[in-house]
Amino acid sequence: MTSPTGSTVEEAKAFLDAHPEIEAFDIVLTDPNGVGRGKIIRRHELMGLYEGGRHLPISILGLDITGEDVHETGLIWDSGDGDLRAWPIPGTLKPLYGTSPARGQVLMSMFHLDGAPMTSDPRLALVRQVEALAARGLHPAGAFELEFFLLANERDAEGRVQPANAVLDGRRSGKTEVYSVDHLHGMEPLFSDIYAAAKAQDIPAETVISEYAPGQYELTLHYRKDVLQAADDLVMLKRIVRAQARRHGVTACFMAKPIEKYAGSGMHLHVSLQDDAGRNVFTEASEGQWTPALLHALGGLAGTMAESMLVFAPHANSWRRFVSQSYAPVAPTWGVNNRSVALRVPAGDMKNRRIEHRPSGVDANPYLVAATVLAGIAKGLDEKLDPGPETTGNGYESGSDTRGKMPSDWRGAIEAARESAFLKQALGEDLHRTFTAIKEAEYLRVARTVNELDYHLYLHEV
């Protein structure tokens, strides 16, 4: 049958002809938590994948972060855990750098057996929002920033994670080496392999930065005219960083807050809208005279942020990132060239005017983040929403009066998301049900767990 993603057998044949060394392929479907799930197939199976897709169980989209079934999603025994058909995403068939024997990789999307979209697939939720904007003559462009920690495989004497030593010479640093170029040299062999792997997959990885915590780094990605491609870039780059770190004997950590006394890791999304003629509708006629489109987009994002926080901060650990003075936003504020707000308008060339959406942690699913952001922008444009006054100076102080609009914790975010008509529209009813059911199950797992802190606080005191 014809692939509903637009993938073709010609793409597969050309790839096989160009890469006779590749013996196997990772086929990767991104679940609601952003976890890549799928199979490794042999070389001779690739043409069949492109000719007829590949059967995968429907339950693959109804798993919690540990891989356990969440029956409340309706995707397990309610459907008999039947097979659906996953199809390759065009343009994602790439070689995997440094594998032996050589392997390739292709990203997948899930469809029903008749070719209809499986509406609990996160990537297809983003496709739907992109198509909705295209119908009104608008085309979202964007790029994600990837922050992460490189940790030692061994814990410290107290059982806590610790920053990795330099892979070049084993040098140890427990300092915050923010923006230190010399510090980056110690990880040069690893980053060289990350860049080589990104080049092999046509991922436009650019600047690397030593970030605001020991062992924390940031990789930026080149702006894409297609935000779907930007999200695919982020999914593939995370897989690259994790694999190459492992090859160099360290652990790439994408938790939002792995070390309690240091800043957490974000996944900021830069986004703009182009019209059918390719003009950026956020660009003002004269600098600082903001366009209605930009202001209404900011209004939509600010107005929907509270009910969307479960998408941007989906795990228990995500909420440890939101503390004052941590470079993580704590209120639905906006400002220009200001990193203490949730919605930043970066300084720079007016032609490149964009919004930097800052709430998301690196543990969030980029497809769900982008879909929710686009839906918020569309709502702002449709309803001509006012973002309120610009925040200047310290947004942690000036935004304190609006902080009550935001959920204070993970449980509050789950409740707000479950009741949100906006989020139901942004994700689609099926994915909204699936995602909130998964988060409910994970919350209950965490809530009933008695951990070491409980014993430390209460064992001899109550």
Side-chain angles (χ1 to χ4, degrees):
M1 62 184 294
T2 301
S3 169
T5 65
S7 60
T8 65
V9 293
E10 288 75 19
E11 180 183 4
K13 186 176 186 307
F15 186 90
L16 291 173
D17 290 344
H19 296 280
E21 77 284 2
I22 289 182
E23 297 184 12
F25 295 87
D26 296 1
I27 63 172
V28 183
L29 177 76
T30 301
D31 78 1
N33 268 317
V35 177
R37 303 193 185 275
K39 303 180 178 184
I40 298 177
I41 64 171
R42 305 302 297 169
R43 178 184 178 90
H44 69 269
E45 297 178 90
L46 186 70
M47 288 301 293
L49 179 73
Y50 276 76
E51 290 166 353
R54 184 77 178 222
H55 284 170
L56 289 175
I58 189 173
S59 58
I60 203 171
L61 294 173
L63 305 176
D64 69 10
I65 194 66
T66 69
E68 295 287 340
D69 291 340
V70 178
H71 297 280
E72 293 80 4
T73 62
L75 302 180
I76 316 299
W77 300 126
D78 289 9
S79 60
D81 195 17
D83 280 346
L84 300 184
R85 200 188 307 266
W87 289 89
I89 296 168
T92 66
L93 178 57
K94 304 292 182 182
L96 288 174
Y97 174 82
T99 51
S100 180
R103 296 201 323 277
Q105 172 185 279
V106 61
L107 302 185
M108 310 287 287
S109 270
M110 189 79 96
F111 295 80
H112 292 282
L113 298 181
D114 63 0
M118 200 293 164
T119 46
S120 287
D121 183 319
R123 191 178 188 275
L124 293 180
L126 178 54
V127 169
R128 189 168 62 86
Q129 291 299 334
V130 169
E131 290 175 346
L133 284 170
R136 55 197 293 171
L138 296 172
H139 310 279
F144 286 92
E145 296 174 0
L146 181 67
E147 295 179 357
F148 57 95
F149 280 80
L150 293 175
L151 302 177
N153 292 339
E154 304 79 23
R155 304 289 182 94
D156 68 13
E158 297 181 5
R160 297 173 300 194
V161 298
Q162 56 184 333
N165 295 341
V167 299
L168 180 66
D169 56 9
R171 184 181 302 177
R172 178 183 297 275
S173 173
K175 298 181 293 183
T176 298
E177 308 266 11
V178 63
Y179 278 84
S180 169
V181 177
D182 289 343
H183 176 67
L184 292 174
H185 293 169
M187 292 295 180
E188 185 177 27
L190 169 54
F191 282 111
S192 293
D193 280 346
I194 288 172
Y195 281 122
K199 182 178 180 181
Q201 295 189 21
D202 300 314
I203 298 171
E206 296 191 325
T207 306
V208 62
I209 302 165
S210 180
E211 262 290 357
Y212 196 60
Q216 189 185 36
Y217 303 87
E218 177 186 278
L219 271 171
T220 63
L221 287 157
H222 189 71
Y223 214 68
R224 293 284 201 182
K225 292 183 178 179
D226 179 359
V227 78
L228 263 170
Q229 193 172 24
D232 290 339
D233 285 343
L234 197 284
V235 167
M236 293 192 290
L237 185 59
K238 282 183 73 172
R239 289 180 58 78
I240 285 172
V241 172
R242 182 177 283 115
Q244 295 305 321
R246 191 174 183 182
R247 291 178 187 281
H248 283 270
V250 299
T251 297
C253 175
F254 299 109
M255 291 172 63
K257 184 82 166 178
I259 301 175
E260 63 186 56
K261 63 182 178 179
Y262 294 116
S265 294
M267 188 181 70
H268 304 162
L269 171 59
H270 294 251
V271 62
S272 61
L273 294 177
Q274 322 298 316
D275 63 19
D276 286 335
R279 292 184 292 263
N280 183 353
V281 302
F282 290 166
T283 297
E284 63 267 31
S286 58
E287 190 160 2
Q289 301 300 309
W290 312 119
T291 66
L294 177 67
L295 292 174
H296 295 329
L298 288 166
L301 292 173
T304 58
M305 190 174 296
E307 58 199 299
S308 303
M309 282 304 298
L310 186 62
V311 170
F312 309 142
H315 306 292
N317 179 260
S318 309
W319 290 85
R320 307 194 197 287
R321 175 172 161 258
F322 296 105
V323 293
S324 183
Q325 315 294 332
S326 66
Y327 290 95
V330 294
T333 51
W334 75 279
V336 180
N337 195 23
N338 188 334
R339 287 184 171 84
S340 67
V341 297
L343 303 168
R344 174 175 174 252
V345 179
D349 191 333
M350 291 190 303
K351 297 192 301 295
N352 299 324
R353 190 66 69 216
R354 64 192 186 276
I355 296 169
E356 180 186 3
H357 184 273
R358 297 173 56 82
S360 297
V362 75
D363 56 342
N365 183 326
Y367 297 127
L368 298 188
V369 169
T372 305
V373 166
L374 295 187
I377 289 174
K379 181 179 176 67
L381 296 176
D382 287 343
E383 300 178 17
K384 296 181 170 53
L385 298 180
D386 182 353
E390 176 190 345
T391 295
T392 58
N394 188 343
Y396 294 110
E397 294 178 355
S398 60
S400 60
D401 59 335
T402 62
R403 198 177 305 172
K405 296 179 182 178
M406 302 281 277
S408 59
D409 56 23
W410 191 29
R411 179 70 208 179
I414 293 171
E415 292 172 351
R418 188 179 57 238
E419 301 302 321
S420 172
F422 162 76
L423 200 60
K424 188 175 292 186
Q425 181 276 325
L427 303 182
E429 289 192 15
D430 291 339
L431 181 53
H432 176 266
R433 181 192 67 248
T434 297
F435 183 65
T436 54
I438 289 170
K439 296 296 111 181
E440 284 272 8
E442 291 174 353
Y443 172 82
L444 292 173
R445 176 189 287 259
V446 171
R448 66 174 175 256
T449 299
V450 180
N451 58 37
E452 191 61 36
L453 181 60
D454 288 349
Y455 296 124
H456 176 72
L457 292 176
Y458 310 121
L459 179 61
H460 300 292
E461 310 299 334
V462 296

